[in-house]
Amino acid sequence: GMTPASDCSPKKSYPSGLLNCKSPSCPRSEWQLEPQFMVKKVAQYAIATFLVDQPETMFLASTDAQFGSGVTTAGALRSQFNFGFPLEGFSNTADKAEEQKKQIEKFMTDSFFNKLDQWNSNNAGEDFLIGYFGGPLMQESTNKLLMGDFALVALAFIVVYMYVLIMTQSVFYATMALAQIFLSFCTGFLLYRLFFGASFFGVFHIMAIFLLLGVGVDDVFVFLDHYEAALQVRGEYKVDVFGRISWTWKHAVTAMGVTSLTTATSFFMNGISSFPGIASFGIFAGCLVVVLYTSMVFYWPAVVMFSHKYFRDKPFLCGIPDKIQSLKILQRIFENSSEEAQEDARLSSEAKKP
């Protein structure tokens, strides 16, 4: 329609927007896109005054701060598209409202998201990029980012798995360690949801899997180092496996408990934050650490005993790594760290003797 002046002056009555029209009534069917008219309109918008030129100031709300006061260029511009209900084939807005909503979302995804996302991908080095928000566009964009993050999680699992595999020389240990970490994530979510009654689950919560990887693998190595160090404390532990695992459990649980307690406490303290996202993430991460420590206390000793009984005398990967020089070097590194732990245990044991 037309843009009326505050004093009803006909000089000020011109079409709103950047489209020109020929007749006084300015019907939508006669709107035309003319470069010269667009230049004129932009100049008018640039000198507009708030509350006096209402349509022009609405245009100013869609530009960045550098536009206006006679300046006719802008670094950012926003456009808004509104959708009306009911859609074709429906009697009113309440008629199968959810189905109408899904049709709009599918239309926006198919007609806008893929094209806009493709534009940004193909013009990453250009000065003009398109940002978008609203409805399913934000959801689709978030889902795409999450898929990329999930790929990083999978890569992290693979790297950590290979590291544990090489350092422990055991496929069973590596598999059980990663399985324990994954299951702790699931169990931690149940504790977070049922015990604390929290329902919010955002992107930060998914990233907590990286925290679990670090803490979980560290606890695995602490336990295994103590398991090897037990042989230096008492020679009969070579035969007395139950005594060995008992000594390991007693000392490793204390070492892991101190680090887990401080880590969990630091995360739980975030629960008092006034920001819901930070508070919920702190509670969730604290739950994960508690569940992981509980798993190390009760689950991992069973894994070690099972491995000792069934895989102790079996060569690692049928002896193939023994023929690879680089893996031999990594094996020596692990053996040296174990020897240091054994020596510390021996000195500690001697210091306790009367």
Side-chain angles (χ1 to χ4, degrees):
M2 305 294 287
T3 302
S6 58
D7 58 355
C8 297
S9 171
K11 181 189 298 185
K12 193 69 185 301
S13 297
Y14 44 76
S16 60
L18 301 179
L19 298 175
N20 194 13
C21 57
K22 300 299 183 181
S23 64
S25 60
C26 198
R28 184 183 296 270
S29 60
E30 296 184 4
W31 288 1
Q32 299 178 5
L33 185 63
E34 297 179 355
Q36 294 181 349
F37 181 75
M38 291 175 61
V39 173
K40 178 181 177 181
K41 289 294 295 184
V42 169
Q44 292 172 343
Y45 286 143
I47 60 174
T49 304
F50 184 65
L51 293 181
V52 175
D53 308 289
Q54 177 67 18
E56 287 82 353
T57 52
M58 290 300 296
F59 178 86
L60 293 177
S62 300
T63 63
D64 64 348
Q66 79 179 49
F67 184 87
S69 300
V71 179
T72 59
T73 60
L77 178 66
R78 184 183 68 181
S79 297
Q80 180 173 320
F81 299 89
N82 297 318
F83 295 90
F85 290 90
L87 301 180
E88 184 178 358
F90 299 90
S91 59
N92 52 58
T93 304
D95 182 17
K96 300 178 182 178
E98 193 63 28
E99 185 175 342
Q100 293 190 64
K101 178 183 176 183
K102 289 181 179 179
Q103 287 190 19
I104 285 289
E105 291 179 346
K106 185 178 185 305
F107 169 76
M108 292 180 68
T109 300
D110 296 342
S111 302
F112 290 95
F113 174 75
N114 295 329
K115 294 178 181 178
L116 296 177
D117 188 64
Q118 189 65 33
W119 166 270
N120 289 337
S121 299
N122 295 338
N123 298 274
E126 301 294 332
D127 294 333
F128 181 73
L129 295 177
I130 302 176
Y132 43 86
F133 64 95
L137 297 183
M138 283 295 294
Q139 185 63 39
E140 289 291 331
S141 180
T142 302
N143 290 340
K144 183 177 180 180
L145 291 175
L146 286 179
M147 289 301 102
D149 291 338
F150 278 132
L152 294 177
V153 171
L155 177 62
F157 264 88
I158 293 173
V159 172
V160 171
Y161 181 86
M162 295 302 298
Y163 180 80
V164 177
L165 178 67
I166 294 173
M167 299 302 284
T168 61
Q169 302 285 290
S170 171
V171 176
F172 183 70
Y173 278 154
T175 303
M176 291 298 102
L178 271 294
Q180 173 185 239
I181 292 171
F182 177 76
L183 293 175
S184 295
F185 187 88
C186 301
T187 309
F189 175 77
L190 291 178
L191 180 64
Y192 166 76
R193 183 69 179 90
L194 300 179
F195 183 79
F196 288 96
S199 58
F200 177 73
F201 194 83
V203 178
F204 280 160
H205 296 66
I206 299 176
M207 295 300 101
I209 191 66
F210 293 105
L211 166 70
L212 272 187
L213 279 174
V215 176
V217 171
D218 181 63
D219 287 347
V220 165
F221 284 124
V222 168
F223 196 97
L224 292 179
D225 275 348
H226 279 81
Y227 186 69
E228 294 297 327
L231 296 175
Q232 299 296 319
V233 177
R234 291 184 182 180
E236 59 267 24
Y237 282 163
K238 293 181 180 179
V239 180
D240 184 11
V241 182
F242 292 101
R244 181 182 178 185
I245 198 69
S246 177
W247 184 93
T248 301
W249 188 89
K250 177 181 178 182
H251 290 81
V253 163
T254 303
M256 294 184 299
V258 172
T259 56
S260 297
L261 176 63
T262 55
T263 304
T265 301
S266 64
F267 279 119
F268 279 128
M269 288 302 294
N270 286 306
I272 64 176
S273 173
S274 57
F275 293 95
I278 296 178
S280 61
F281 172 76
I283 295 175
F284 179 66
C287 290
L288 295 183
V289 175
V290 170
V291 170
L292 183 61
Y293 174 72
T294 305
S295 178
M296 285 299 305
V297 171
F298 296 104
Y299 165 79
W300 195 251
V303 171
V304 174
M305 290 296 292
F306 189 91
S307 177
H308 180 88
K309 182 176 181 179
Y310 293 102
F311 304 112
R312 176 181 53 177
D313 299 325
K314 296 184 182 297
F316 173 53
L317 295 180
C318 301
I320 296 176
D322 294 336
K323 303 176 183 179
I324 303 177
Q325 186 64 28
S326 58
L327 293 181
K328 286 184 178 181
I329 295 174
L330 290 176
Q331 184 178 6
R332 292 194 194 100
I333 294 174
F334 180 70
E335 289 175 347
N336 290 337
S337 65
S338 296
E339 290 173 359
E340 292 175 359
Q342 294 172 15
E343 181 64 18
D344 291 341
R346 184 184 64 80
L347 294 175
S348 177
S349 178
E350 292 180 353
K352 294 180 180 179
K353 293 181 179 179

